Amino acid sequence: MAVLRHQEQPWRPGRAQGLERASCESCGLWGICFPGRVASDVRAPAKGLGIRRMRLPRGKVLYRAGEKVECFYMIRSGCIKETQDSTCHRSTVINFALAGEMLSLHNPDDQVSSTTSVAVEASFICAVHWGSFNELCAASPGIAAEFIRLVVKAGAQARELLTLIRDKEALERIAGFLLNLSDRLQLRGVQGREFRLGMNRDDIASYLGVRSETVSRSFTELSRRRLIRVRAKRVQITKPAELRGVCDGT
Amino acid sequence: MAVLRHQEQPWRPGRAQGLERASCESCGLWGICFPGRVASDVRAPAKGLGIRRMRLPRGKVLYRAGEKVECFYMIRSGCIKETQDSTCHRSTVINFALAGEMLSLHNPDDQVSSTTSVAVEASFICAVHWGSFNELCAASPGIAAEFIRLVVKAGAQARELLTLIRDKEALERIAGFLLNLSDRLQLRGVQGREFRLGMNRDDIASYLGVRSETVSRSFTELSRRRLIRVRAKRVQITKPAELRGVCDGT
DNA sequence: CGTTGAGTTGATGGAACTCAAATAGCGTGG
DNA sequence: CCACGCTATTTGAGTTCCATCAACTCAACG
């Protein structure tokens, strides 16, 4: 079993689809994808790592808070938002998972999820079953160590977001958000100077702890200063260095 | 090698001090302490887990950002603040580690630390060497799994803090902060209704993303409402339920 | 062409920041 | 033991930034 190229087959609901190992190597994320590398490990259980390819239409829920999630995920394309039900009947966005990034690492095997994940745009993902992954970890300490590394990195991202929104004002947050997206897209080979926002203004606002009007005004202000260009969901960063300056409050 | 009872021996700088295994069992944190349990594991390396007991005077730096940290830590008593050097030459507090809690889990073996840790009051801690711990993990998948659980939990705390400061106003943050401290102290058996703040107002302010004046005003306001009593660093929570109400914005 | 929903812009008030001054703790040494 | 000085904390007054509410634009769609 292995990762599939989503272009190659139509999606049939409820069916896990397998293909020969080769498709992982031919995947655009090959070399970046942790599950893909693990699946090709010689010690992988005979029955396979249980990687399942899925299409997630826009607005579709991947898992809900309170559910047991028996998988973790790799985003192949699209964008998934992770939300947390807040005290006052409103959910807040705590993460956007982009192509090439992993999701739900913080919901181990036998525990219920504390978050809900929803596709903000049509997405393709690969799901890895905790069960078979844990077996593999037990057999191969190196894999476990690498996995710990990933979990730690996920935690570091949370702390980065924390400092972004705790210590900065609205315009700085927006600037930092755009630069962060840009950097992450570039990591995956996508050109990060010009990209499309998968999420809407309300999601961005919730993520950054401001109102959507403030997001809008900030976009306008940054455009006025000629640091970015915005047209609906399309964003172009024209002056990255200056934008960084805004984010850093200099 | 094992955890020591800090009352029993004077501290000599730069010296790792060992005692027989029994002292872990006699430690007040026995049953709570992950390293202690691991050290008593039958598969523990013959040379021991390399647990080192340390005294950390107030204001003393445990490790700095940019250094390689070859240990992770268990706080036996006191309070350690973890700070992150911000962009504009000022450091911000991202965590307070209390007695019974672990520190530096997010700085794996061979990586440089992204944070600086300082004792905000005189503290006693136990240090676990990554090297011997990793050996043990390789030998015992159960330990590794448990450790992953701890790392995940540390990440969850970061997300909790995130929602506390992103979605709440100052008074709510202070209320949430006090309740959080209270809960954590009670977990360790300490009575959590009345306790001493190890850190000063500036640290609290930095942690919560407000000014120290705002912390002060919030304390005053909560006192005025008779939900808490404050006298310098001593805090008493007189109406926990109502304080929770303030935190939740109800 | 009217409707609908997302996004932008404008006007206003309130919460928290800033600067400044007053007060309380707290250790030190006479 | 008390006076002293230093620092931490509290309180006050004015200002800034952002949330709020409302009106408006624009594009998509039947």
Side-chain angles (χ1 to χ4, degrees):
Chain A
M1 320 266 178
V3 180
L4 296 178
R5 297 231 306 241
H6 68 253
Q7 299 86 346
E8 291 170 359
Q9 288 202 344
W11 177 68
R12 275 173 256 123
R15 290 311 229 56
Q17 300 177 8
L19 207 66
E20 74 285 3
R21 161 75 40 77
S23 61
C24 255
E25 274 83 1
S26 66
C27 172
L29 296 173
W30 179 247
I32 289 171
C33 176
F34 172 68
R37 236 171 323 120
V38 167
S40 72
D41 189 286
V42 288
R43 278 155 310 211
K47 51 179 176 172
L49 192 52
I51 294 181
R52 209 174 76 235
R53 176 197 153 257
M54 302 163 64
R55 192 181 84 92
L56 205 62
R58 168 184 176 149
K60 211 75 170 192
V61 173
L62 185 56
Y63 57 82
R64 289 183 192 282
E67 290 178 1
K68 277 195 186 177
V69 186
E70 72 267 19
C71 298
F72 62 88
Y73 303 91
M74 178 75 185
I75 315 299
R76 287 177 48 64
S77 69
C79 178
I80 312 281
K81 73 171 170 185
E82 232 179 313
T83 63
Q84 196 162 245
D85 297 333
S86 174
T87 47
C88 51
H89 66 52
R90 261 238 303 257
S91 73
T92 66
V93 178
I94 59 171
N95 187 33
F96 294 112
L98 307 180
E101 299 181 339
M102 302 198 57
L103 184 64
S104 190
L105 292 186
H106 53 86
N107 296 318
D109 203 1
D110 55 348
Q111 295 198 308
V112 299
S113 172
S114 57
T115 60
T116 299
S117 284
V118 184
V120 297
E121 59 182 348
S123 305
F124 288 89
I125 64 183
C126 289
V128 184
H129 270 272
W130 280 109
S132 42
F133 179 74
N134 285 340
E135 281 179 41
L136 184 54
C137 278
S140 166
I143 300 281
E146 195 175 355
F147 182 72
I148 289 177
R149 197 68 48 99
L150 289 175
V151 175
V152 166
K153 191 188 287 185
Q157 283 172 359
R159 284 207 308 278
E160 266 182 54
L161 177 58
L162 178 68
T163 57
L164 180 67
I165 72 177
R166 183 183 56 180
D167 305 325
K168 297 184 191 303
E169 50 187 36
L171 196 69
E172 299 169 345
R173 294 184 201 185
I174 301 291
F177 172 70
L178 292 176
L179 287 167
N180 179 257
L181 279 187
S182 169
D183 290 346
R184 285 155 67 188
L185 289 171
Q186 258 170 345
L187 267 185
R188 315 304 171 195
V190 187
Q191 72 129 333
R193 290 283 89 95
E194 192 172 354
F195 53 89
R196 187 178 170 280
L197 298 170
M199 68 296 292
N200 62 27
R201 300 290 190 268
D202 279 319
D203 287 334
I204 298 173
S206 169
Y207 182 68
L208 294 177
V210 295
R211 300 287 121 176
S212 64
E213 292 95 328
T214 303
V215 173
S216 186
R217 282 183 237 276
S218 299
F219 277 164
T220 307
E221 173 62 17
L222 292 174
S223 298
R224 200 192 57 70
R225 299 192 197 172
R226 310 266 174 234
L227 307 187
I228 64 171
R229 289 157 154 276
V230 188
R231 169 94 149 226
K233 287 202 188 328
R234 290 227 63 89
V235 176
Q236 183 187 1
I237 298 179
T238 48
K239 297 184 182 171
E242 286 84 345
L243 195 59
R244 172 63 59 193
V246 170
C247 173
D248 292 348
T250 56
Chain B
M1 322 262 177
V3 179
L4 295 179
R5 296 231 307 240
H6 67 256
Q7 300 86 345
E8 291 170 0
Q9 288 201 345
W11 178 70
R12 275 173 255 121
R15 290 311 230 57
Q17 299 177 8
L19 206 65
E20 75 284 3
R21 160 75 41 77
S23 61
C24 254
E25 275 82 2
S26 66
C27 171
L29 295 173
W30 179 245
I32 290 171
C33 176
F34 173 68
R37 236 170 325 119
V38 167
S40 71
D41 189 287
V42 289
R43 279 155 308 212
K47 51 179 176 173
L49 192 51
I51 294 182
R52 209 173 76 233
R53 177 198 152 255
M54 302 164 65
R55 193 180 84 90
L56 206 62
R58 170 185 175 148
K60 211 74 170 191
V61 173
L62 185 56
Y63 56 83
R64 290 181 192 283
E67 289 178 2
K68 277 194 188 178
V69 185
E70 74 268 19
C71 297
F72 62 86
Y73 303 91
M74 179 75 184
I75 315 299
R76 285 175 49 64
S77 70
C79 178
I80 313 282
K81 74 171 170 185
E82 232 179 314
T83 63
Q84 196 162 245
D85 297 333
S86 175
T87 46
C88 51
H89 66 53
R90 261 239 303 257
S91 73
T92 66
V93 178
I94 58 170
N95 187 33
F96 294 112
L98 307 180
E101 300 182 337
M102 305 199 55
L103 184 64
S104 190
L105 291 185
H106 53 84
N107 295 319
D109 203 2
D110 55 348
Q111 294 197 309
V112 298
S113 172
S114 57
T115 59
T116 298
S117 284
V118 183
V120 297
E121 58 182 348
S123 305
F124 288 90
I125 64 183
C126 289
V128 184
H129 270 273
W130 280 109
S132 42
F133 179 74
N134 284 340
E135 280 179 41
L136 184 54
C137 278
S140 166
I143 301 282
E146 194 175 357
F147 182 73
I148 288 177
R149 196 69 48 97
L150 288 176
V151 174
V152 166
K153 191 188 286 185
Q157 284 171 0
R159 284 207 308 278
E160 264 181 55
L161 177 59
L162 178 69
T163 58
L164 180 68
I165 71 176
R166 182 183 56 181
D167 305 326
K168 296 185 191 303
E169 50 189 35
L171 197 69
E172 300 170 345
R173 295 183 201 185
I174 301 291
F177 172 69
L178 292 176
L179 287 167
N180 179 256
L181 280 187
S182 169
D183 290 346
R184 285 157 67 189
L185 289 172
Q186 257 170 347
L187 266 185
R188 315 303 172 198
V190 188
Q191 71 130 327
R193 290 283 90 94
E194 192 172 354
F195 52 90
R196 186 177 172 282
L197 297 170
M199 67 297 290
N200 62 25
R201 301 290 190 266
D202 279 319
D203 288 333
I204 298 173
S206 171
Y207 182 69
L208 293 177
V210 295
R211 300 288 123 180
S212 64
E213 293 94 328
T214 304
V215 173
S216 183
R217 284 183 235 275
S218 299
F219 277 163
T220 308
E221 173 62 17
L222 292 174
S223 300
R224 200 192 57 71
R225 297 193 197 173
R226 311 263 174 235
L227 307 187
I228 64 171
R229 290 158 153 276
V230 188
R231 172 100 143 223
K233 288 204 188 326
R234 290 226 64 88
V235 176
Q236 184 188 0
I237 298 179
T238 49
K239 297 186 182 170
E242 286 84 346
L243 194 58
R244 171 63 60 192
V246 170
C247 172
D248 292 349
T250 56

